[in-house]
Protein backbone atom coordinates (compact mmCIF):
# COMPACT_ATOMS: atom_id res chain seq x y z
CA UNK A 1 0.00 0.00 0.00
CA UNK A 2 1.51 3.37 -0.99
CA UNK A 3 -0.06 6.75 -1.71
CA UNK A 4 1.60 10.05 -2.40
CA UNK A 5 0.35 13.63 -2.54
CA UNK A 6 2.66 16.46 -3.67
CA UNK A 7 2.63 20.22 -4.01
CA UNK A 8 5.45 22.70 -4.37
CA UNK A 9 6.63 22.59 -0.73
CA UNK A 10 5.03 19.51 0.76
CA UNK A 11 5.40 15.79 0.25
CA UNK A 12 3.04 13.52 2.19
CA UNK A 13 3.55 9.77 1.93
CA UNK A 14 1.22 7.18 3.42
CA UNK A 15 2.63 3.66 3.47
CA UNK A 16 3.17 0.54 5.51
CA UNK A 17 6.07 0.96 7.86
CA UNK A 18 9.28 -1.06 7.88
CA UNK A 19 11.77 -1.98 10.57
CA UNK A 20 14.02 0.80 9.28
CA UNK A 21 11.41 3.40 10.28
CA UNK A 22 11.92 2.71 13.99
CA UNK A 23 14.04 5.72 14.94
CA UNK A 24 11.59 8.07 13.22
CA UNK A 25 8.64 6.39 14.94
CA UNK A 26 10.35 6.61 18.33
CA UNK A 27 11.15 10.31 17.94
CA UNK A 28 7.62 11.13 16.77
CA UNK A 29 6.00 9.10 19.54
CA UNK A 30 8.05 10.83 22.24
CA UNK A 31 6.77 14.19 21.01
CA UNK A 32 3.20 12.96 20.59
CA UNK A 33 3.06 11.84 24.22
CA UNK A 34 5.18 14.61 25.71
CA UNK A 35 2.33 15.74 27.99
CA UNK A 36 1.83 12.23 29.37
CA UNK A 37 4.32 11.85 32.19
CA UNK A 38 5.68 8.32 32.36
CA UNK A 39 4.46 7.32 28.89
CA UNK A 40 6.55 4.50 27.43
CA UNK A 41 7.70 4.12 23.84
CA UNK A 42 7.46 1.00 21.71
CA UNK A 43 10.74 -0.92 21.56
CA UNK A 44 12.51 -1.72 18.33
CA UNK A 45 11.96 -5.47 18.77
CA UNK A 46 8.23 -4.91 19.29
CA UNK A 47 7.89 -2.87 16.10
CA UNK A 48 9.89 -5.50 14.22
CA UNK A 49 7.59 -8.21 15.59
CA UNK A 50 4.47 -6.36 14.41
CA UNK A 51 5.97 -5.86 10.96
CA UNK A 52 6.76 -9.56 10.82
CA UNK A 53 3.33 -10.73 12.04
CA UNK A 54 1.07 -8.34 10.13
CA UNK A 55 3.00 -5.94 7.89
CA UNK A 56 -0.09 -4.55 6.18
CA UNK A 57 -1.59 -3.45 9.49
CA UNK A 58 1.29 -1.16 10.44
CA UNK A 59 0.89 2.28 8.84
CA UNK A 60 2.92 5.47 8.96
CA UNK A 61 2.72 8.87 7.32
CA UNK A 62 5.83 10.80 6.36
CA UNK A 63 5.82 14.54 5.74
CA UNK A 64 8.89 15.64 3.85
CA UNK A 65 10.62 12.48 5.06
CA UNK A 66 9.73 12.85 8.77
CA UNK A 67 7.42 10.40 10.52
CA UNK A 68 4.32 12.47 11.17
CA UNK A 69 2.05 9.76 12.47
CA UNK A 70 1.71 6.05 13.03
CA UNK A 71 -1.13 3.52 13.39
CA UNK A 72 -0.46 -0.04 14.58
CA UNK A 73 -3.00 -2.86 14.38
CA UNK A 74 -3.45 -6.57 14.87
CA UNK A 75 -6.24 -8.99 13.92
CA UNK A 76 -7.97 -10.74 16.81
CA UNK A 77 -10.67 -13.33 17.37
CA UNK A 78 -12.78 -10.90 19.36
CA UNK A 79 -14.97 -13.54 21.00
CA UNK A 80 -11.91 -14.60 22.99
CA UNK A 81 -11.80 -11.20 24.68
CA UNK A 82 -15.27 -9.66 24.64
CA UNK A 83 -16.05 -6.11 25.66
CA UNK A 84 -14.40 -6.30 29.09
CA UNK A 85 -10.68 -6.52 28.44
CA UNK A 86 -7.62 -4.39 29.05
CA UNK A 87 -4.64 -3.41 26.96
CA UNK A 88 -2.31 -6.06 28.33
CA UNK A 89 -4.79 -8.81 27.49
CA UNK A 90 -5.50 -7.65 23.95
CA UNK A 91 -1.77 -7.34 23.14
CA UNK A 92 -0.74 -10.57 24.88
CA UNK A 93 1.34 -8.61 27.39
CA UNK A 94 2.94 -6.70 24.52
CA UNK A 95 4.03 -9.91 22.74
CA UNK A 96 1.20 -9.72 20.13
CA UNK A 97 0.58 -13.45 20.57
CA UNK A 98 -3.11 -12.52 20.32
CA UNK A 99 -2.74 -11.74 16.62
CA UNK A 100 -4.87 -14.25 14.71
CA UNK A 101 -4.92 -14.03 10.90
CA UNK A 102 -8.22 -15.92 11.00
CA UNK A 103 -9.80 -13.47 13.45
CA UNK A 104 -12.76 -11.21 12.74
CA UNK A 105 -11.73 -7.79 14.09
CA UNK A 106 -8.98 -5.31 13.25
CA UNK A 107 -7.86 -4.04 16.66
CA UNK A 108 -6.06 -0.70 16.85
CA UNK A 109 -3.27 -0.90 19.42
CA UNK A 110 -1.56 2.43 18.70
CA UNK A 111 -2.36 5.72 17.01
CA UNK A 112 -0.51 9.02 17.28
CA UNK A 113 0.28 12.16 15.30
CA UNK A 114 3.34 14.33 15.88
CA UNK A 115 2.31 17.77 17.30
CA UNK A 116 4.02 19.58 14.42
CA UNK A 117 1.65 17.98 11.93
CA UNK A 118 -1.68 18.16 13.69
CA UNK A 119 -4.38 20.02 11.78
CA UNK A 120 -3.23 18.53 8.46
CA UNK A 121 -5.78 15.67 8.53
CA UNK A 122 -2.94 13.21 9.03
CA UNK A 123 -5.04 11.18 11.45
CA UNK A 124 -8.00 10.97 9.07
CA UNK A 125 -5.79 9.55 6.33
CA UNK A 126 -4.52 6.83 8.63
CA UNK A 127 -8.06 5.98 9.78
CA UNK A 128 -9.19 5.76 6.16
CA UNK A 129 -6.28 3.42 5.46
CA UNK A 130 -7.30 1.25 8.41
CA UNK A 131 -10.84 1.05 7.07
CA UNK A 132 -9.49 -0.10 3.70
CA UNK A 133 -7.49 -2.84 5.45
CA UNK A 134 -10.58 -3.93 7.36
CA UNK A 135 -12.63 -4.15 4.17
CA UNK A 136 -9.87 -5.87 2.21
CA UNK A 137 -9.52 -8.60 4.84
CA UNK A 138 -13.29 -8.95 5.18
CA UNK A 139 -13.20 -8.18 8.90
CA UNK A 140 -16.46 -7.25 10.55
CA UNK A 141 -15.18 -4.24 12.49
CA UNK A 142 -12.37 -2.05 13.72
CA UNK A 143 -12.22 -1.90 17.51
CA UNK A 144 -9.89 0.11 19.74
CA UNK A 145 -9.60 1.28 23.29
CA UNK A 146 -9.44 5.05 23.05
CA UNK A 147 -7.81 7.18 25.72
CA UNK A 148 -9.83 10.10 27.11
CA UNK A 149 -6.94 12.39 28.15
CA UNK A 150 -9.11 15.41 29.02
CA UNK A 151 -11.20 13.44 31.52
CA UNK A 152 -8.83 14.19 34.41
CA UNK A 153 -9.91 17.85 34.26
CA UNK A 154 -13.59 16.90 34.74
CA UNK A 155 -13.33 13.84 36.98
CA UNK A 156 -14.29 15.78 40.12
CA UNK A 157 -17.69 16.74 38.70
CA UNK A 158 -18.47 14.23 35.94
CA UNK A 159 -18.62 10.44 35.84
CA UNK A 160 -17.03 8.81 32.77
CA UNK A 161 -20.52 8.26 31.35
CA UNK A 162 -21.48 11.93 31.85
CA UNK A 163 -18.18 13.00 30.32
CA UNK A 164 -18.86 10.81 27.29
CA UNK A 165 -22.30 12.35 26.77
CA UNK A 166 -20.89 15.87 26.89
CA UNK A 167 -18.19 14.99 24.35
CA UNK A 168 -20.87 13.50 22.10
CA UNK A 169 -22.88 16.67 22.48
CA UNK A 170 -19.78 18.75 21.68
CA UNK A 171 -19.97 20.51 25.04
CA UNK A 172 -16.49 19.19 25.77
CA UNK A 173 -13.71 18.62 23.25
CA UNK A 174 -11.45 15.65 23.92
CA UNK A 175 -8.76 15.51 21.21
CA UNK A 176 -8.81 11.72 21.08
CA UNK A 177 -12.47 10.83 21.60
CA UNK A 178 -13.86 13.74 19.59
CA UNK A 179 -11.64 12.81 16.66
CA UNK A 180 -12.73 9.16 16.74
CA UNK A 181 -16.42 10.04 16.90
CA UNK A 182 -15.91 12.29 13.90
CA UNK A 183 -14.50 9.30 12.01
CA UNK A 184 -17.69 7.23 12.27
CA UNK A 185 -16.73 5.30 15.40
CA UNK A 186 -19.28 4.71 18.13
CA UNK A 187 -18.66 3.92 21.80
CA UNK A 188 -19.55 0.43 22.97
CA UNK A 189 -18.78 1.06 26.63
CA UNK A 190 -16.36 2.72 29.03
CA UNK A 191 -13.55 0.47 30.21
CA UNK A 192 -12.04 0.87 33.66
CA UNK A 193 -8.39 0.01 34.27
CA UNK A 194 -7.70 -0.30 30.55
CA UNK A 195 -4.17 1.07 30.33
CA UNK A 196 -2.04 1.06 33.46
CA UNK A 197 -0.28 4.37 34.05
CA UNK A 198 -2.58 6.50 31.91
CA UNK A 199 -3.02 9.19 34.56
CA UNK A 200 -4.56 11.68 32.13
CA UNK A 201 -7.47 9.32 31.48
CA UNK A 202 -7.41 7.98 35.05
CA UNK A 203 -6.96 4.59 33.31
CA UNK A 204 -10.42 4.85 31.71
CA UNK A 205 -10.87 4.26 28.00
CA UNK A 206 -13.72 4.38 25.52
CA UNK A 207 -14.22 1.09 23.71
CA UNK A 208 -14.76 2.21 20.13
CA UNK A 209 -16.11 0.33 17.13
CA UNK A 210 -16.39 1.02 13.42
CA UNK A 211 -18.55 -1.48 11.55
CA UNK A 212 -17.57 -2.73 8.10
CA UNK A 213 -20.81 -2.59 6.11
CA UNK A 214 -19.20 -4.68 3.37
CA UNK A 215 -18.44 -7.55 5.73
CA UNK A 216 -19.63 -10.88 4.34
CA UNK A 217 -19.70 -13.77 6.79
CA UNK A 218 -17.85 -16.60 5.14
CA UNK A 219 -19.21 -20.10 4.83
CA UNK A 220 -17.34 -22.79 6.70
CA UNK A 221 -15.17 -24.71 4.23
CA UNK A 222 -14.35 -28.38 4.40
CA UNK A 223 -10.65 -27.66 4.88
CA UNK A 224 -11.15 -25.23 7.77
CA UNK A 225 -9.05 -26.16 10.78
CA UNK A 226 -11.02 -28.22 13.27
CA UNK A 227 -11.45 -27.39 16.93
CA UNK A 228 -11.54 -30.98 18.21
CA UNK A 229 -8.56 -33.04 17.00
CA UNK A 230 -8.45 -36.82 17.38
CA UNK A 231 -5.08 -38.33 18.22
CA UNK A 232 -4.10 -41.98 17.80
CA UNK A 233 -1.01 -43.27 19.63
CA UNK A 234 0.67 -46.61 18.94
CA UNK A 235 2.23 -48.41 21.90
CA UNK A 236 4.40 -50.66 19.78
CA UNK A 237 5.46 -54.18 20.74
CA UNK A 238 9.09 -54.87 19.89
CA UNK A 239 9.19 -58.22 18.06
CA UNK A 240 11.45 -59.76 15.42
CA UNK A 241 10.44 -59.13 11.82
CA UNK A 242 11.74 -61.62 9.26
CA UNK A 243 11.52 -59.07 6.45
CA UNK A 244 10.78 -55.44 5.63
CA UNK A 245 7.40 -56.51 4.24
CA UNK A 246 6.40 -57.99 7.59
CA UNK A 247 7.26 -54.65 9.23
CA UNK A 248 5.07 -52.90 6.65
CA UNK A 249 2.19 -55.21 7.54
CA UNK A 250 2.40 -54.32 11.22
CA UNK A 251 2.63 -50.60 10.46
CA UNK A 252 -0.36 -50.74 8.13
CA UNK A 253 -2.35 -52.72 10.70
CA UNK A 254 -2.08 -49.87 13.20
CA UNK A 255 -2.68 -47.16 10.59
CA UNK A 256 -5.81 -49.01 9.49
CA UNK A 257 -7.09 -49.45 13.06
CA UNK A 258 -6.50 -45.86 14.12
CA UNK A 259 -7.90 -44.41 10.89
CA UNK A 260 -11.10 -46.43 11.41
CA UNK A 261 -11.73 -44.15 14.38
CA UNK A 262 -11.44 -41.09 12.08
CA UNK A 263 -8.26 -39.99 13.82
CA UNK A 264 -6.45 -36.94 12.50
CA UNK A 265 -2.98 -38.06 13.63
CA UNK A 266 -1.23 -41.32 14.38
CA UNK A 267 2.03 -41.31 16.36
CA UNK A 268 4.59 -44.14 16.28
CA UNK A 269 7.43 -44.52 18.84
CA UNK A 270 11.12 -43.72 18.60
CA UNK A 271 13.25 -46.30 16.74
CA UNK A 272 10.24 -48.58 16.33
CA UNK A 273 12.08 -50.30 13.45
CA UNK A 274 14.93 -51.49 15.69
CA UNK A 275 13.80 -55.14 15.33
CA UNK A 276 15.30 -55.04 11.82
CA UNK A 277 18.70 -55.03 13.56
CA UNK A 278 18.17 -58.72 14.38
CA UNK A 279 19.45 -59.64 10.93
CA UNK A 280 22.71 -57.82 11.70
CA UNK A 281 23.28 -59.16 15.19
CA UNK A 282 26.66 -60.52 14.06
CA UNK A 283 27.76 -56.89 13.69
CA UNK A 284 28.35 -54.34 16.40
CA UNK A 285 25.47 -52.07 17.43
CA UNK A 286 26.80 -49.08 15.50
CA UNK A 287 27.22 -51.09 12.30
CA UNK A 288 23.79 -52.72 12.65
CA UNK A 289 22.13 -49.34 13.11
CA UNK A 290 23.77 -48.08 9.94
CA UNK A 291 22.53 -51.11 8.05
CA UNK A 292 18.87 -50.50 8.91
CA UNK A 293 19.35 -46.81 8.13
CA UNK A 294 19.52 -47.90 4.48
CA UNK A 295 15.76 -48.60 4.67
CA UNK A 296 14.71 -45.24 6.14
CA UNK A 297 13.76 -43.47 2.92
CA UNK A 298 11.92 -46.57 1.71
CA UNK A 299 10.00 -46.59 5.00
CA UNK A 300 9.24 -42.89 4.61
CA UNK A 301 7.76 -43.47 1.19
CA UNK A 302 5.60 -46.28 2.54
CA UNK A 303 4.32 -44.01 5.32
CA UNK A 304 3.46 -41.33 2.74
CA UNK A 305 1.51 -43.95 0.81
CA UNK A 306 -0.43 -44.94 3.96
CA UNK A 307 -1.08 -41.30 4.92
CA UNK A 308 -2.76 -40.67 1.58
CA UNK A 309 -4.68 -43.94 1.29
CA UNK A 310 -5.92 -43.92 4.91
CA UNK A 311 -6.48 -40.13 5.03
CA UNK A 312 -4.49 -39.58 8.20
CA UNK A 313 -1.48 -37.50 9.22
CA UNK A 314 1.31 -39.85 10.28
CA UNK A 315 4.14 -39.01 12.66
CA UNK A 316 6.55 -41.85 11.98
CA UNK A 317 8.30 -41.96 15.33
CA UNK A 318 11.97 -42.09 14.47
CA UNK A 319 14.49 -44.09 12.47
CA UNK A 320 18.26 -43.97 11.96
CA UNK A 321 19.32 -41.91 8.96
CA UNK A 322 22.69 -41.41 7.28
CA UNK A 323 23.53 -37.99 5.88
CA UNK A 324 26.96 -36.82 4.82
CA UNK A 325 28.51 -39.78 6.58
CA UNK A 326 26.84 -38.99 9.91
CA UNK A 327 24.19 -41.09 11.66
CA UNK A 328 21.18 -39.14 12.94
CA UNK A 329 17.92 -40.02 14.67
CA UNK A 330 15.11 -38.64 12.49
CA UNK A 331 11.44 -39.03 11.71
CA UNK A 332 8.88 -37.75 9.24
CA UNK A 333 5.60 -35.90 9.36
CA UNK A 334 3.65 -37.45 6.49
CA UNK A 335 0.56 -35.36 5.83
CA UNK A 336 -2.54 -36.87 4.30
CA UNK A 337 -2.22 -34.54 1.30
CA UNK A 338 1.03 -36.30 0.33
CA UNK A 339 3.47 -33.65 1.58
CA UNK A 340 6.07 -34.48 4.21
CA UNK A 341 8.68 -32.96 6.52
CA UNK A 342 11.74 -34.41 8.23
CA UNK A 343 12.36 -33.68 11.92
CA UNK A 344 15.57 -34.59 13.73
CA UNK A 345 16.64 -35.38 17.27
CA UNK A 346 18.74 -32.56 18.70
CA UNK A 347 19.88 -33.86 22.10
CA UNK A 348 21.37 -37.35 22.15
CA UNK A 349 21.73 -39.53 25.20
CA UNK A 350 25.18 -40.87 26.13
CA UNK A 351 24.01 -44.32 24.99
CA UNK A 352 23.13 -43.07 21.49
CA UNK A 353 26.51 -41.40 21.17
CA UNK A 354 28.63 -44.17 22.63
CA UNK A 355 26.83 -47.29 21.38
CA UNK A 356 25.79 -46.11 17.92
CA UNK A 357 27.93 -43.07 17.15
CA UNK A 358 24.90 -40.84 16.48
CA UNK A 359 25.17 -37.06 16.20
CA UNK A 360 22.59 -34.44 17.13
CA UNK A 361 20.91 -32.11 14.65
CA UNK A 362 20.80 -28.31 14.59
CA UNK A 363 17.30 -27.56 13.29
CA UNK A 364 13.98 -26.89 15.00
CA UNK A 365 10.62 -25.92 13.51
CA UNK A 366 6.89 -26.08 14.13
CA UNK A 367 4.81 -27.56 11.30
CA UNK A 368 1.55 -26.49 9.72
CA UNK A 369 -1.08 -29.18 9.27
CA UNK A 370 -4.76 -29.26 8.36
CA UNK A 371 -5.43 -29.43 12.11
CA UNK A 372 -3.29 -26.47 13.15
CA UNK A 373 0.34 -26.05 14.09
CA UNK A 374 2.21 -28.90 15.76
CA UNK A 375 5.66 -29.59 17.16
CA UNK A 376 7.58 -32.87 17.23
CA UNK A 377 10.45 -33.67 19.60
CA UNK A 378 12.13 -37.05 19.91
CA UNK A 379 12.34 -38.51 23.43
CA UNK A 380 15.28 -36.85 25.27
CA UNK A 381 14.57 -33.52 23.54
CA UNK A 382 11.40 -33.02 25.61
CA UNK A 383 13.56 -32.89 28.74
CA UNK A 384 14.98 -29.55 27.59
CA UNK A 385 12.31 -26.87 28.17
CA UNK A 386 13.85 -24.39 25.76
CA UNK A 387 12.85 -26.41 22.69
CA UNK A 388 9.09 -26.63 23.38
CA UNK A 389 9.08 -22.97 24.42
CA UNK A 390 10.54 -21.96 21.06
CA UNK A 391 7.90 -24.10 19.34
CA UNK A 392 5.16 -22.53 21.48
CA UNK A 393 6.32 -19.10 20.35
CA UNK A 394 5.74 -20.31 16.77
CA UNK A 395 2.13 -21.15 17.62
CA UNK A 396 2.40 -24.88 18.43
CA UNK A 397 -0.82 -26.31 19.89
CA UNK A 398 0.03 -30.02 20.04
CA UNK A 399 3.48 -31.45 20.81
CA UNK A 400 4.16 -35.04 19.73
CA UNK A 401 6.93 -36.96 21.48
CA UNK A 402 7.93 -40.40 20.17
CA UNK A 403 10.13 -42.01 22.82
CA UNK A 404 12.02 -45.16 23.71
CA UNK A 405 12.96 -45.94 27.32
CA UNK A 406 14.34 -49.16 28.75
CA UNK A 407 13.56 -48.62 32.44
CA UNK A 408 10.81 -47.07 34.49
CA UNK A 409 13.28 -44.42 35.64
CA UNK A 410 13.89 -43.32 32.06
CA UNK A 411 10.17 -43.34 31.35
CA UNK A 412 9.48 -41.20 34.43
CA UNK A 413 11.90 -38.58 33.14
CA UNK A 414 10.13 -38.39 29.78
CA UNK A 415 6.64 -38.44 31.29
CA UNK A 416 7.31 -35.84 33.98
CA UNK A 417 8.99 -33.46 31.57
CA UNK A 418 6.22 -33.91 28.99
CA UNK A 419 3.60 -32.99 31.61
CA UNK A 420 5.59 -29.91 32.56
CA UNK A 421 5.84 -28.86 28.91
CA UNK A 422 2.03 -29.08 28.56
CA UNK A 423 1.53 -26.76 31.52
CA UNK A 424 4.22 -24.18 30.85
CA UNK A 425 3.51 -23.93 27.09
CA UNK A 426 -0.31 -24.18 27.30
CA UNK A 427 -0.44 -27.03 24.79
CA UNK A 428 -1.29 -30.72 24.52
CA UNK A 429 1.55 -33.23 24.63
CA UNK A 430 1.21 -36.76 23.23
CA UNK A 431 3.90 -39.34 24.01
CA UNK A 432 4.16 -42.83 22.47
CA UNK A 433 6.73 -45.53 23.27
CA UNK A 434 7.60 -49.17 22.71
CA UNK A 435 7.16 -52.15 25.02
CA UNK A 436 8.53 -55.70 25.17
CA UNK A 437 12.06 -56.89 24.52
CA UNK A 438 14.52 -57.76 21.79
CA UNK A 439 16.87 -60.33 23.33
CA UNK A 440 18.98 -60.66 20.19
CA UNK A 441 19.58 -56.96 19.57
CA UNK A 442 22.50 -55.23 21.26
CA UNK A 443 21.56 -52.21 23.44
CA UNK A 444 17.84 -52.68 22.66
CA UNK A 445 17.03 -55.63 24.89
CA UNK A 446 14.23 -54.25 27.13
CA UNK A 447 11.55 -51.56 26.76
CA UNK A 448 9.22 -49.78 29.20
CA UNK A 449 6.37 -47.47 28.16
CA UNK A 450 3.00 -46.06 29.09
CA UNK A 451 1.81 -43.84 26.26
CA UNK A 452 -0.35 -40.86 27.20
CA UNK A 453 -1.84 -37.50 26.23
CA UNK A 454 -1.21 -34.66 28.68
CA UNK A 455 -3.06 -31.34 29.00
CA UNK A 456 -2.53 -28.01 30.72
CA UNK A 457 -3.79 -27.85 34.30
CA UNK A 458 -6.78 -25.52 34.56
CA UNK A 459 -10.54 -25.67 34.99
CA UNK A 460 -11.29 -26.68 31.37
CA UNK A 461 -8.94 -29.68 31.54
CA UNK A 462 -8.68 -32.87 33.62
CA UNK A 463 -7.66 -32.08 37.19
CA UNK A 464 -4.61 -34.35 36.94
CA UNK A 465 -3.56 -32.99 33.54
CA UNK A 466 -3.96 -36.41 31.89
CA UNK A 467 -6.39 -36.65 28.98
CA UNK A 468 -5.78 -40.36 28.41
CA UNK A 469 -3.13 -43.00 29.09
CA UNK A 470 -2.52 -46.55 27.96
CA UNK A 471 -1.96 -49.61 30.11
CA UNK A 472 1.74 -49.82 30.87
CA UNK A 473 3.89 -52.36 29.02
CA UNK A 474 1.11 -53.71 26.79
CA UNK A 475 0.86 -53.40 23.03
CA UNK A 476 -2.17 -51.23 22.32
CA UNK A 477 -3.47 -48.05 20.73
CA UNK A 478 -4.66 -44.97 22.57
CA UNK A 479 -7.31 -42.69 21.03
CA UNK A 480 -7.98 -39.26 22.52
CA UNK A 481 -9.75 -36.05 21.47
CA UNK A 482 -8.20 -32.67 22.26
CA UNK A 483 -9.95 -29.31 21.84
CA UNK A 484 -7.57 -26.59 20.64
CA UNK A 485 -10.15 -23.85 21.29
CA UNK A 486 -9.74 -24.56 25.00
CA UNK A 487 -6.08 -23.56 24.63
CA UNK A 488 -7.08 -20.12 23.34
CA UNK A 489 -9.41 -19.62 26.28
CA UNK A 490 -6.69 -20.74 28.68
CA UNK A 491 -4.18 -18.36 27.12
CA UNK A 492 -6.41 -15.35 27.68
CA UNK A 493 -8.58 -16.24 30.66
CA UNK A 494 -6.82 -19.04 32.56
CA UNK A 495 -6.41 -19.03 36.33
CA UNK A 496 -2.72 -18.56 35.50
CA UNK A 497 -1.28 -17.63 32.12
CA UNK A 498 2.18 -19.06 31.82
CA UNK A 499 2.90 -17.69 28.35
CA UNK A 500 1.50 -14.20 28.88
CA UNK A 501 3.02 -13.74 32.33
CA UNK A 502 6.61 -14.39 31.32
CA UNK A 503 8.98 -11.59 32.36
CA UNK A 504 10.39 -10.91 28.93
CA UNK A 505 11.99 -7.79 30.33
CA UNK A 506 14.25 -10.11 32.37
CA UNK A 507 14.78 -13.13 30.13
CA UNK A 508 14.15 -14.57 26.68
CA UNK A 509 15.14 -17.59 24.60
CA UNK A 510 16.98 -17.08 21.34
CA UNK A 511 16.52 -19.51 18.46
CA UNK A 512 19.88 -20.18 16.84
CA UNK A 513 18.46 -23.08 14.83
CA UNK A 514 19.81 -23.58 11.32
CA UNK A 515 16.46 -24.75 10.05
Amino acid sequence: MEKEIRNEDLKIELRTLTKDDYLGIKASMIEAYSEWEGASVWGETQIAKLVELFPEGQICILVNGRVAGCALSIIVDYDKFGDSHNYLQITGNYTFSTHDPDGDVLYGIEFFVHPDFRGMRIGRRMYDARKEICERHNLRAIIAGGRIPVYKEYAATLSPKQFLEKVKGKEIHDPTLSFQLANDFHVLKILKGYLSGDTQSLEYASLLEWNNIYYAEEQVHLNTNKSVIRLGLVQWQMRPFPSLDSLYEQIEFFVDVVSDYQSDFILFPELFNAPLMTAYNHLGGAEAMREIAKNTITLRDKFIEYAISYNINIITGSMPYMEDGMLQNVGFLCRRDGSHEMYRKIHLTPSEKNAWGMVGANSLAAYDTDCGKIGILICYDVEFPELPRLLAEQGMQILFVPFMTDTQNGYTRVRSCAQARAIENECYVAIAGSVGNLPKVHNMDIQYAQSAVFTPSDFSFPSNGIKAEATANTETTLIADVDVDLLKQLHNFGAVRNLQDRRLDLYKILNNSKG
Side-chain angles (χ1 to χ4, degrees), residues 64-312:
N64 292 343
R66 292 177 60 193
V67 175
C70 181
L72 309 178
S73 309
I74 58 176
I75 298 174
V76 299
D77 181 352
Y78 195 71
D79 285 342
K80 303 301 179 186
F81 303 93
D83 291 341
S84 297
H85 59 266
N86 60 40
Y87 195 69
L88 279 178
Q89 291 170 338
I90 205 71
T91 61
N93 198 16
Y94 305 111
T95 66
F96 318 117
S97 58
T98 50
H99 174 69
D100 182 355
D102 297 322
D104 63 335
V105 161
L106 185 71
Y107 199 101
I109 61 171
E110 181 62 82
F111 189 96
F112 64 83
V113 176
H114 190 291
D116 291 351
F117 303 103
R118 290 171 185 166
M120 297 175 57
R121 297 185 178 272
I122 295 293
R124 182 175 292 276
R125 295 185 192 194
M126 290 193 293
Y127 263 115
D128 288 344
R130 264 189 181 167
K131 292 172 183 177
E132 290 178 12
I133 295 170
C134 183
E135 292 171 359
R136 188 157 51 246
H137 284 265
N138 191 36
L139 303 174
R140 67 173 181 83
I142 301 173
I143 291 179
R147 300 176 61 233
I148 44 176
V150 175
Y151 179 62
K152 184 176 182 180
E153 301 173 16
Y154 298 89
T157 57
L158 297 176
S159 68
K161 180 180 179 180
Q162 292 169 328
F163 175 80
L164 172 62
E165 292 303 319
K166 289 189 175 292
V167 173
K168 285 182 177 179
K170 303 187 184 300
E171 297 177 57
I172 296 175
H173 178 78
D174 182 284
T176 302
L177 180 55
S178 297
F179 169 74
Q180 290 158 331
L181 293 175
N183 277 274
D184 302 322
F185 280 76
H186 61 273
V187 178
L188 293 172
K189 66 182 295 185
I190 295 292
L191 298 173
K192 184 177 181 180
Y194 181 72
L195 181 58
S196 178
D198 185 1
T199 55
Q200 288 180 310
S201 306
L202 302 183
E203 298 188 359
Y204 286 101
S206 55
L207 185 63
L208 298 144
E209 180 180 47
W210 176 84
N211 297 111
N212 175 14
I213 62 173
Y214 302 106
Y215 172 66
E217 189 169 357
E218 296 180 356
Q219 297 295 317
V220 176
H221 298 290
L222 291 176
N223 61 353
T224 300
N225 285 354
K226 300 161 60 176
S227 169
V228 177
I229 312 301
R230 181 159 294 175
L231 312 181
L233 281 56
V234 177
Q235 190 157 285
W236 177 270
Q237 173 78 42
M238 289 293 198
R239 58 168 66 82
F241 290 103
S243 66
L244 197 57
D245 286 339
S246 62
L247 178 65
Y248 292 159
E249 289 176 5
Q250 191 64 24
I251 292 170
E252 187 172 14
F253 165 76
F254 281 116
V255 173
D256 187 10
V257 167
V258 172
S259 67
D260 277 347
Y261 289 94
Q262 287 77 51
S263 297
D264 297 292
F265 291 96
I266 181 171
L267 172 64
F268 285 84
E270 179 184 23
L271 295 176
F272 73 95
N273 64 329
L276 295 176
M277 295 172 68
T278 304
Y280 307 101
N281 203 42
H282 59 287
L283 303 175
E287 291 78 12
M289 190 64 75
R290 282 162 174 76
E291 285 297 322
I292 69 169
K294 296 175 181 178
N295 298 316
T296 292
I297 297 303
T298 303
L299 268 170
R300 179 203 65 188
D301 293 343
K302 184 62 70 172
F303 274 115
I304 293 172
E305 176 187 321
Y306 293 151
I308 296 170
S309 59
Y310 287 95
N311 190 31
I312 190 170

Side-chain angles (χ1 to χ4, degrees), residues 447-512:
Q447 315 293 324
Y448 184 96
Q450 185 178 22
S451 303
V453 177
F454 303 121
T455 74
S457 184
D458 212 301
F459 297 115
S460 298
F461 304 94
S463 58
N464 61 359
I466 303 172
K467 179 67 177 178
E469 58 186 341
T471 302
N473 277 357
T474 301
E475 184 171 56
T476 187
T477 59
L478 183 66
I479 310 294
D481 288 344
V482 296
D483 188 342
V484 293
D485 279 352
L486 293 180
L487 300 178
K488 298 176 184 178
Q489 295 176 23
L490 169 68
H491 181 69
N492 294 295
F493 306 111
V496 296
R497 286 162 280 192
N498 293 81
L499 287 178
Q500 284 198 39
D501 292 341
R502 287 174 294 157
R503 286 290 305 276
L504 297 178
D505 56 321
L506 291 178
Y507 57 83
K508 61 182 177 180
I509 299 175
L510 300 178
N511 187 353
N512 297 322

